Amino acid sequence: MSKKQVVMQLMALFRQQGYEGTSLTHIATATGLGRASLYHYFRGGKEEMAAIALEQFQSTLHREVIECLRQERPPKEKLQLMLQGVERLFEQGNKPCLCTAFALESQSNSLFQSRIQDILVPWLQAIATVLEEAGSPQAQAYQQAEDMVIRIQGALVLARELGDQDLFKRTLQRLGTELLSD
């Protein structure tokens, strides 16, 4: 298994079980690698594995979501493209957010809080910038961006808790409808 494949497995494990719930035994089983091989790839152990998984998540969020907001298009179209990217990133609500999985745990939150902020703040800022382009005042645009991400993250959590992935899809559809209305 390549290191990239191992990182994708790590991201899936951490998304599903969080940092604290993912043991080296879980990782070894999922990757088919022994502890020695894992430490060969990741000398910093589980903490390094989690940091690299967050780095991969950040890269994917940037590519699938944030870049949509930076295109030369009308604001509403950018926001609609962002929602499509969000749907891909979280696989229609089937994949939880890695940042949320880590933020909800005390140990991983303290270990990775600044990294999580480095991932989420650019997303908030990019949304706010587009909302300003659409005519919202700066302070209001940032609040609207926060509300949008809260609804997306909340829908991911609630859909998982209720076992209803359609809830996530419905939330994105409502957000899209609201964004496209004047």
Side-chain angles (χ1 to χ4, degrees):
M1 182 176 275
S2 72
K3 186 171 182 177
K4 181 177 175 129
Q5 291 169 317
V6 172
V7 170
M8 297 311 286
Q9 284 290 329
L10 290 170
M11 198 161 68
L13 282 170
F14 288 131
R15 279 175 128 174
Q16 291 298 325
Q17 301 174 31
Y19 179 78
E20 295 169 21
T22 303
S23 68
L24 286 177
T25 301
H26 290 125
I27 294 168
T29 301
T31 62
L33 298 174
R35 288 177 185 241
S37 295
L38 288 170
Y39 280 105
H40 172 74
Y41 281 137
F42 310 99
R43 297 195 191 291
K46 183 176 156 184
E47 190 173 327
E48 181 182 343
M49 293 176 205
I52 289 172
L54 281 167
E55 189 175 293
Q56 177 64 43
F57 181 79
Q58 181 177 25
S59 174
T60 306
L61 176 74
H62 185 80
R63 181 181 66 251
E64 293 290 334
V65 177
I66 296 173
E67 283 303 314
C68 295
L69 296 165
R70 294 186 175 154
Q71 295 181 14
E72 291 295 324
R73 294 175 184 254
K76 289 181 180 184
E77 191 175 327
K78 289 186 216 185
L79 292 167
Q80 190 63 43
L81 288 170
M82 179 207 66
L83 291 175
Q84 292 168 4
V86 164
E87 192 168 14
R88 282 190 306 275
L89 176 66
F90 299 114
E91 296 183 20
Q92 293 78 38
N94 291 307
K95 298 287 184 195
C97 179
L98 184 60
C99 293
T100 303
F102 282 13
L104 295 175
E105 301 173 328
S106 59
Q107 180 185 7
S108 60
N109 187 37
S110 63
L111 284 172
F112 302 110
Q113 184 178 25
S114 73
R115 181 65 178 189
I116 291 167
Q117 290 171 352
D118 290 344
I119 294 169
L120 295 177
V121 168
W123 184 18
L124 290 166
Q125 290 171 334
I127 294 169
T129 297
V130 172
L131 292 171
E132 284 180 60
E133 289 173 19
S136 291
Q138 186 176 16
Q140 182 182 354
Y142 199 83
Q143 289 174 350
Q144 290 171 313
E146 289 174 335
D147 289 343
M148 191 177 301
V149 172
I150 287 167
R151 287 176 65 186
I152 290 167
Q153 295 287 37
L156 276 171
V157 172
L158 190 59
R160 186 171 185 195
E161 290 173 348
L162 296 177
D164 178 9
Q165 272 53 54
D166 286 338
L167 185 148
F168 179 72
K169 294 176 194 175
R170 290 190 306 270
T171 300
L172 292 184
Q173 288 171 346
R174 282 192 302 271
L175 275 170
T177 300
E178 291 167 18
L179 294 172
L180 295 175
S181 68
D182 290 323

